[in-house]
Amino acid sequence: MKRILVSIKRVVDYNVRVRVKPDHTGVMTDGVKMSMNPFDEIALEEALRLKEQGFAEEVLVVSIGTADCQQQLRTALAMGADRAIHIQTDADIEPLTAAKVLLTLIDREQPMLAILGKQAIDDDCNQTGQMLAALWDRPQATFASKVEISGDTARVTREVDAGLETLEIDLPAVITTDLRLNEPRYVKLPDIMKAKKKPLDILELTSLGISINTQLKSVLFEPPAQRIKGVMLKNPQELVDALRRKGLV
Amino acid sequence: MNKILIVAEHNGSQLNPSTAKCVTCARGIPDASITVVVFASDPIEVAKAAATITGVSQVLTVTHLAHAHPIAALIAPQLATLAKEFTHIFGPSTTFGKDLMPRTAALLNAPQLSDIMLVESATRFKRPIYAGNAITTVEVAAEIQLVATVRTASFEAAPSNHNSAPIESVNSTASLPSHTRFIGTSAARNGRPDLQTAARVISGGRALGSAENFNILYSLADQLGAAIGASRAAVDAGYAPSDMQVGQTGKIISPELYMAFGISGAIQHLTGIKDARTIVAINKDADAPIFEIADFGLVGDLFQIIPELKLLLKTAQ
Ligand SMILES: Cc1cc2nc3c(=O)[nH]c(=O)nc-3n(C[C@H](O)[C@H](O)[C@H](O)COP(=O)(O)OP(=O)(O)OC[C@H]3O[C@@H](n4cnc5c(N)ncnc54)[C@H](O)[C@@H]3O)c2cc1C
Ligand SMILES: Nc1ncnc2c1ncn2[C@@H]1O[C@H](COP(=O)(O)O)[C@@H](O)[C@H]1O
């Protein structure tokens, strides 16, 4: 079966203003709204569109994390994914470990494409997709803003610093999404009901035989240096004067 | 002894300033020897430039026609082979480095630290998380080979001087895959300064209202010799190309002067400009969050203010 695998990370909602805990041991997440990582929502939307266009038959979503991740997997199923796998763990998972976990699922499910978000907006690592592609020994097209499939290849337009770059990659491959790839659909109420009946398998991470020792230890969390509010000026003349005094114009 | 390998970023003929910023970051590590590696189809000019950077003790070149355009899947296996004898492998936190370094790290079975903003020791670093809302200090066990990207906005470029590090050509033994092919780029190079390195940046948001209206920013930028940036809302609406986006998911910049016109100041945008020396905000809403971090704020209609600024700047010159 032609399958697309999409990974879904549960993260603090992007509207939440994250604050560091007073004791510097982490950030405050208690009672904070959690959501699907926005880039993963785009990844899922792209997979659903490819399926709707007939390039794939099944969209499989995967999340690694605590039992709460199942909420985001249910949302993904409601959006239109066919099947979900939850890899359960309470440990903090670094990108290399996430990539190894995804690789075991790839070995099992043999997808034609794995679509990941380009970065998780909690750790802002921007690593997992590239690491997965390396371990899988397959092409990667990161920061995608356009994906066109024809036969066994895909043409992917990538958002790079210099502008847009187009790569042609052989499938199977890994694609990571940028924000302008698409606009994710809204979930409709009846779909939420239907999603309850879709399969969601749970696997313990420990059963996959992957070591999860974190190699990078976050030992301290601090708020960023604050910029101090400056001065409000009355008119453009004052602005030009101020900039001139600083030697900026 | 810490042996640091830095991957040079370049456009085929010129070294990108991000490389000299990685060198500054690497020089923060005690007892370090710094090697720069250049992957190119014709690396000589770029290698010569790298050899003059203060602190670089060796430049390696890997020549292959396939390196005319950097493709991570091709460079990573070669970089991983070369990296074996190094303790730290650094690349810039640009789209080039973000694409390449994690692929290399996985081949080395090494963890990656993204966006180093401060070096405390060879094994202790600071990096931003949650769109810069928190800074975390990360420790790595000493025996671990560390792959990292360097947040270029956090480091000044190391100066180029009379240094002339030896340049050595190495043959790569890794076989290059054919599964990834470069098709083309569409870079709207406009003769303006590069957004990531410009001393001054003029940026516009949703308030501009159309691509035509963005032209008034272009003319102000030309007058100031500034680069142009944009908010995501402006890019999404098609007023500006995607490579102009500033912020968490666009470019992180650190110009001397950043002027934001009609940008509200969402956290994702502010992440990209926190390191600017001076921030100026022009917004018609006195309560816009951008004023909270601006050094100079001006409340008003940008369509009235910009022509006035242009006039005042002209008479000033
Ligand atoms: C995962 C994620 C990543 C994101 N990454 C980025 C990113 O990298 N960069 C980024 O910029 N955004 C990013 N965003 C989007 C961000 O949240 C905001 O939506 C965006 O920055 C808003 O752009 P804006 O300020 O131009 O528009 P708005 O918020 O609509 O603000 C327009 C402003 O213009 C002012 N205005 C209107 N008319 C005038 C006038 N005539 N004169 C003067 N002022 C006027 C208004 O008062 C208002 O403050 C991201 C969002 C998400 C979810
Ligand atoms: N724990 C996880 N569960 C599911 N997907 C993940 C997880 N961690 C990372 N990913 C995927 O990898 C992408 C990049 O994450 P990162 O490398 O952490 O920035 C995310 O957008 C997800 O698609």
Side-chain angles (χ1 to χ4, degrees):
Chain A
M1 185 177 331
K2 284 200 165 186
R3 181 173 291 135
I4 302 178
L5 182 145
V6 175
S7 61
I8 306 282
K9 190 174 187 191
R10 171 184 165 92
V11 297
V12 172
D13 187 85
Y14 78 93
N15 281 312
V16 173
R17 192 173 182 118
V18 172
R19 287 179 200 285
V20 172
K21 286 186 190 162
D23 65 359
H24 301 291
T25 57
V27 300
M28 294 196 258
T29 49
D30 285 352
V32 161
K33 185 176 181 214
M34 302 295 286
S35 300
M36 194 187 302
N37 183 37
F39 291 97
D40 299 347
E41 216 176 329
I42 293 169
L44 175 56
E45 176 65 36
E46 196 63 18
L48 295 173
R49 289 184 191 187
L50 290 172
K51 184 186 158 189
E52 284 156 7
Q53 289 158 24
F55 292 112
E57 293 149 280
E58 186 185 63
V59 175
L60 169 65
V61 288
V62 180
S63 189
I64 311 159
T66 60
D68 293 330
C69 292
Q70 289 169 26
Q71 293 166 14
Q72 280 63 46
L73 288 175
R74 285 289 169 206
T75 307
L77 292 170
M79 268 177 77
D82 299 289
R83 189 156 68 86
I85 299 180
H86 174 215
I87 306 294
Q88 178 146 331
T89 174
D90 291 338
D92 273 339
I93 296 299
E94 41 185 46
L96 185 58
T97 311
K100 288 177 182 174
V101 170
L102 292 173
L103 184 70
T104 61
L105 293 173
I106 280 178
D107 286 342
R108 190 179 305 194
E109 303 282 349
Q110 299 289 320
M112 58 179 273
L113 204 57
I115 314 184
L116 286 75
K118 81 165 176 181
Q119 85 197 57
I121 62 163
D122 50 4
D123 63 23
D124 282 333
C125 276
N126 197 330
Q127 301 175 12
T128 310
Q130 297 86 315
M131 289 179 158
L132 174 63
L135 300 175
W136 193 10
D137 199 13
R138 293 305 306 168
Q140 71 188 42
T142 51
F143 329 143
S145 64
K146 191 172 174 194
V147 174
E148 294 164 294
I149 300 216
S150 67
D152 290 334
T153 65
R155 265 194 190 214
V156 182
T157 304
R158 310 176 52 228
E159 290 198 4
V160 294
D161 289 338
L164 298 174
E165 177 190 274
T166 306
L167 289 183
E168 186 177 74
I169 52 176
D170 293 339
L171 301 179
V174 174
I175 290 175
T176 76
T177 61
D178 218 316
L179 290 172
R180 272 169 290 274
L181 181 57
N182 60 51
E183 254 189 68
R185 65 197 62 190
Y186 288 103
V187 176
K188 292 186 232 69
L189 210 55
D191 295 331
I192 298 177
M193 302 311 290
K194 261 191 274 173
K196 294 203 170 121
K197 296 198 195 81
K198 290 186 179 174
L200 192 164
D201 292 335
I202 302 164
L203 281 173
E204 287 297 326
L205 176 53
T206 46
S207 74
L208 300 176
I210 293 165
S211 122
I212 49 166
N213 63 335
T214 353
Q215 305 193 77
L216 301 179
K217 297 208 165 44
S218 289
V219 292
L220 180 72
F221 294 79
E222 296 163 291
Q226 290 302 327
R227 285 190 81 103
I228 3 175
K229 188 176 160 96
V231 287
M232 297 302 286
L233 305 171
K234 289 194 200 65
N235 53 49
Q237 180 71 60
E238 282 192 8
L239 175 58
V240 171
D241 290 345
L243 294 179
R244 201 169 303 142
R245 270 197 301 277
K246 281 193 141 191
L248 290 168
V249 294
Chain B
M1 177 78 161
N2 292 298
K3 293 191 71 186
I4 302 169
L5 180 63
I6 294 172
V7 192
E9 175 168 6
H10 61 87
N11 64 3
S13 56
Q14 277 170 318
L15 191 62
N16 189 298
S18 66
T19 309
K21 294 181 173 194
C22 290
V23 172
T24 301
C25 176
R27 289 175 80 195
I29 293 177
D31 194 20
S33 89
I34 301 173
T35 300
V36 174
V37 59
V38 181
F39 293 90
S41 53
D42 180 8
I44 264 316
E45 288 310 311
V46 175
K48 278 187 191 155
T52 65
I53 301 173
T54 310
V56 173
S57 56
Q58 184 191 27
V59 177
L60 303 176
T61 60
V62 184
T63 310
H64 198 294
L65 275 181
H67 297 328
H69 304 283
I71 296 178
L74 272 59
I75 299 177
Q78 303 176 68
L79 180 56
T81 313
L82 281 174
K84 291 265 150 56
E85 52 188 285
F86 290 88
T87 54
H88 301 69
I89 302 102
F90 285 180
S93 209
T94 54
T95 52
F96 163 77
K98 286 175 178 171
D99 191 37
L100 172 64
M101 302 312 285
R103 187 160 182 128
T104 308
L107 294 177
L108 292 167
N109 195 27
Q112 174 175 307
L113 191 65
S114 294
D115 304 318
I116 294 178
M117 57 186 287
L118 191 88
V119 178
E120 291 196 342
S121 75
T123 54
R124 204 173 142 108
F125 305 87
K126 285 188 196 291
R127 64 173 298 255
I129 52 173
Y130 289 97
N133 279 316
I135 309 297
T136 169
T137 303
V138 181
E139 279 183 358
V140 204
E143 68 279 8
I144 281 174
Q145 191 175 32
L146 182 70
V147 177
T149 59
V150 173
R151 186 174 181 275
T152 49
S154 298
F155 298 90
E156 302 273 339
S160 280
N161 59 7
H162 302 299
N163 189 25
S164 56
I167 300 173
E168 190 188 323
S169 156
V170 289
N171 286 322
S172 122
T173 45
S175 68
L176 301 189
S178 61
H179 55 44
T180 306
R181 297 168 292 276
F182 174 84
I183 302 294
T185 46
S186 63
R189 282 287 65 99
N190 44 28
R192 284 200 176 76
D194 174 52
L195 178 54
Q196 260 157 324
T197 50
R200 301 182 185 121
V201 174
I202 305 285
S203 221
R206 192 197 310 274
L208 269 297
S210 70
E212 294 80 71
N213 287 348
F214 236 79
N215 287 328
I216 63 169
L217 290 188
Y218 285 84
S219 66
L220 178 61
D222 287 344
Q223 207 174 337
L224 290 173
I228 307 260
S231 72
R232 176 182 168 195
V235 174
D236 282 359
Y239 309 161
S242 59
D243 55 10
M244 282 187 192
Q245 183 174 315
V246 173
Q248 182 188 15
T249 48
K251 288 179 176 142
I252 313 273
I253 57 174
S254 52
E256 295 293 319
L257 173 64
Y258 185 77
M259 297 181 81
F261 290 92
I263 293 179
S264 59
I267 180 73
Q268 294 88 357
H269 187 80
L270 302 186
T271 304
I273 61 171
K274 271 185 191 151
D275 293 300
R277 205 60 63 82
T278 299
I279 296 177
V280 175
I282 284 96
N283 197 303
K284 69 177 184 191
D285 174 9
D287 295 325
I290 192 147
F291 287 129
E292 293 304 313
I293 62 135
D295 298 281
F296 300 116
L298 190 55
V299 177
D301 183 347
L302 71 92
F303 294 105
Q304 277 164 20
I305 289 172
I306 290 180
E308 285 185 51
L309 282 177
K310 288 181 60 182
L311 212 62
L312 287 164
L313 288 165
K314 200 174 280 166
T315 54
Q317 278 156 2

